[in-house]
Each structure stands twice: as C-alpha cells, then as structure tokens.
Amino acid sequence: MKINILTIFPEMFRPLRESMLGRAEENGIIEFNIVDVRDFSLDKHKKTDDYPFGGGQGMVFMPQPAFDALKSVGAEKTRNIYMSPRGRVLDMELALELADYLRGGNGAEDVAEGEACKVASTALRKASRDLTIFCGHYEGIDQRIIDDWKMEEVSIGDYILTGGELAAMVLIDAVARLIPGVLGEENSALDESIYSGLLEYPQYTQPREFEGLSVPDILLSGNHKEINLWRFRESVRLTKKCRPDILKAFLKDHRERNNRELDKAEIEILIEELGKKDFDTFKKHLSDKEAKLLAKVLEKKRK
Ligand code: ADE
C-alpha cells in the first residue's frame, strides 16, 4: 500500500515521517513515495511552469515533467488525485472510500481497473493498492495532465492555498489513520464518539480539580450506563449548536451508521434536546420498534 506524492516541494512532506504516520511507514503498513517532479523537467533550468495559452494571469504547470513523473510511479495503474480547490470536498465519506481503496476493498475496483476487476478473484481484489497524489502550483496545471491521467480533483475546503502540498498532507492524514494498524491499538479510528455520526462529547482527565475547575461528577461515578447517556446528550447538544447539518444527517441515518436502534433512554434524551424541526425529522425516520418506544415515552410524559 503506497501513496505516491508528486510535488515540486518534497521537503514539505517531511512531517509525514513523524508521529503515527512515520511509525506506520517504519512498520511497513504504508509507504510514502515522495517524488520531486522538478527532477523530470527536461528544461535546463528545471522549469516546470509556463505562460497560459490564451493569455491571463499566472503560470501553468507544464505537461512534460508531470507526465514523466507520473509514468515513473506507474500512475496508469493507480487511483490518481489532483489537489485542487475546484474538486470534491474531502469529508469522512471520501476518506473512508480512499482508505478502502488502498486496502483493496470493493470500493476500489471501479475506479482503478474498471469492469475487468469486478470478475477478478477475491484474493486479487483484496490486494492492496496504490494512490498517486499530484500537488499543483501556480494558477493551475495543464488540463491534459488531469484528463489523460484520469485525475480526481479533491479540495480540502472552500479557500485557496498557495499549493496542493498542505492539502495533500491533510488528505493523507485523514485517510491513513483509517488504515488498520496505523493508529495504536488503544485508538479506534471510528470510535471518536460512541454515537458515531455526532460530534465528540467533552473529555476530561486528571486532576479532578484544576485551578478551581472541576470535572463533571457523573464521569467520576463509575456508572457506565449513565456516563454513556451523559456523553450522548453532550454530543447531541454540541452537534445541534455547532453542526446542525450533521445532526440532521444523524437523525436520518443513525441506524445504518451505528448498526443498531436507539434505546428508550436515548429517545428520551432526543425528545428533550431536539428543536421542533429536528424532532419532526427524527420522528419520520424511526424504525417500528423505535416509534413504539417514542410513543411510550411521550405517553409517560403526558401523564
Ligand atoms: N490547492 C489550493 N487550494 C486548495 C484547496 N483548498 N484544496 C485542495 N488543493 C488546493
């Protein structure tokens, strides 16, 4: 499982060799192949950009050094990404899809090898795959690089960076931590919140009292059921306040996301915490069992 990174600033990727990702590479889980595209320039000054045809501001990345660098890493066989502010915005769904691709999961086939791969043996399908990320600069890159190498454009947000390197680092970090073995055993990539799909609840550690600030009593109670419910409530509150869009998605698809139905105590919390509009969304997406629990709780509240 290799990530080829094509850049004219290879030094910017030094931090990849630190921390969790550095350890993952040392342990042979993932390999980072950082390639200096300038090395492939045939120009005597190692130039990689030129003026845009048709005029206009800025410079454009030339196809020759890019094509040769892409050939050198075998990018005709890899899924190729061009970091660009006009691309699909990176989110958890895309990060999971890319991690699955790297592991040779099912999401990989269509993109990497087309129809032929669908009939390949399970063993072949499970083989790990490589990803190639191209970091642009200047006003952009010659469109033929994107078209001929079937590059998917990926953005890390609606703002413009000076180049694709920092964006590539963000993408790599978000994807690599989803590869089994990259995070230490004590961490689970998808377990930030027990109620996956909501923002993470507040965390506290030692000491119990710090400069007059204390830890919520419930966390010291040892009652794990109550602690989990407190965390669920905090997650719901935070998500409602900071990311109402995420809360709405959770209300619609929590069952598929977490592979289980909500229990009575959780439904009670949602009744108390949701506004009218969210509550209507919630009601519309309940399973039969959840709907019965909801009716029971509401009935009890009425009494
Ligand atoms: N290159 C420049 N800006 C970018 C962004 N927002 N996302 C990805 N690549 C970029």
Side-chain angles (χ1 to χ4, degrees), residues 23-69:
R23 211 174 316 144
E25 189 172 35
E26 272 168 28
N27 293 339
I29 298 169
I30 193 163
E31 181 189 341
F32 302 113
N33 177 31
I34 301 163
V35 175
D36 188 346
V37 184
R38 219 179 269 287
D39 290 344
F40 291 85
S41 172
L42 299 176
D43 177 80
K44 65 173 187 273
H45 303 295
K46 295 281 170 205
K47 187 169 97 144
T48 53
D49 62 322
D50 212 326
Y51 295 98
F53 280 128
Q57 294 253 307
M59 303 294 271
V60 177
F61 212 109
M62 294 192 296
Q64 177 275 315
F67 269 56
D68 286 347

Side-chain angles (χ1 to χ4, degrees), residues 123-137:
L124 180 65
R125 258 191 273 135
K126 286 288 168 204
S128 78
R129 296 167 193 273
D130 301 340
L131 188 67
T132 299
I133 304 177
F134 191 91
C135 305
H137 264 270

Side-chain angles (χ1 to χ4, degrees), residues 70-257:
L70 285 158
K71 280 180 208 159
S72 81
V73 299
E76 55 284 332
K77 291 201 203 80
T78 63
R79 185 166 174 175
N80 301 330
I81 288 179
Y82 167 48
M83 301 313 303
S84 152
R86 68 184 186 191
R88 171 176 170 187
V89 178
L90 176 66
D91 59 10
M92 204 58 183
E93 193 183 340
L94 178 55
L96 283 163
E97 187 190 313
L98 290 171
D100 183 54
Y101 161 79
L102 279 165
R103 295 174 62 196
N106 292 335
E109 302 143 355
D110 317 345
V111 188
E113 290 167 22
E115 287 299 307
C117 192
K118 286 196 178 144
V119 290
S121 71
T122 309
L124 180 65
R125 258 191 273 135
K126 286 288 168 204
S128 78
R129 296 167 193 273
D130 301 340
L131 188 67
T132 299
I133 304 177
F134 191 91
C135 305
H137 264 270
Y138 321 118
E139 277 307 294
I141 66 176
D142 189 300
Q143 186 63 32
R144 289 167 291 187
I145 306 170
I146 298 170
D147 294 344
D148 208 56
W149 291 87
K150 300 184 178 55
M151 299 242 174
E152 295 165 56
E153 296 186 52
V154 175
S155 164
I156 62 158
D158 292 337
Y159 39 80
I160 312 288
L161 304 168
T162 54
E165 282 76 10
L166 288 174
M169 294 273 274
V170 170
L171 174 89
I172 291 165
D173 196 89
V175 172
R177 65 183 288 286
L178 298 171
I179 308 281
V182 168
L183 296 184
E185 271 184 29
E186 67 280 12
N187 295 309
S188 158
L190 292 173
D191 201 26
E192 259 73 76
S193 164
I194 38 172
Y195 296 96
S196 163
L198 295 172
L199 299 184
E200 195 185 10
Y201 46 79
Q203 296 272 28
Y204 298 86
T205 186
Q206 300 287 0
R208 287 180 179 203
E209 285 283 328
F210 177 71
E211 299 195 352
L213 306 168
S214 52
V215 171
D217 287 339
I218 181 78
L219 298 178
L220 311 173
S221 69
N223 183 337
H224 289 287
K225 186 159 177 263
E226 286 304 315
I227 291 173
N228 281 343
L229 288 175
W230 179 85
R231 288 178 165 168
F232 178 59
R233 189 188 293 276
E234 290 299 313
S235 280
V236 171
R237 283 183 180 167
L238 262 175
T239 314
K240 181 177 160 190
K241 183 168 160 222
C242 305
R243 293 294 303 272
D245 54 323
I246 289 184
L247 178 63
K248 200 162 172 205
F250 172 83
L251 295 173
K252 287 182 180 167
D253 70 1
H254 60 84
R255 251 184 334 280
E256 295 87 78
R257 232 175 232 281

Side-chain angles (χ1 to χ4, degrees), residues 256-273:
E256 295 87 78
R257 232 175 232 281
N258 296 311
N259 251 328
R260 67 173 192 82
E261 295 177 302
L262 294 168
D263 64 23
K264 197 162 148 229
E266 291 161 342
I267 289 174
E268 244 161 14
I269 289 173
L270 287 169
I271 292 172
E272 285 162 19
E273 298 298 334

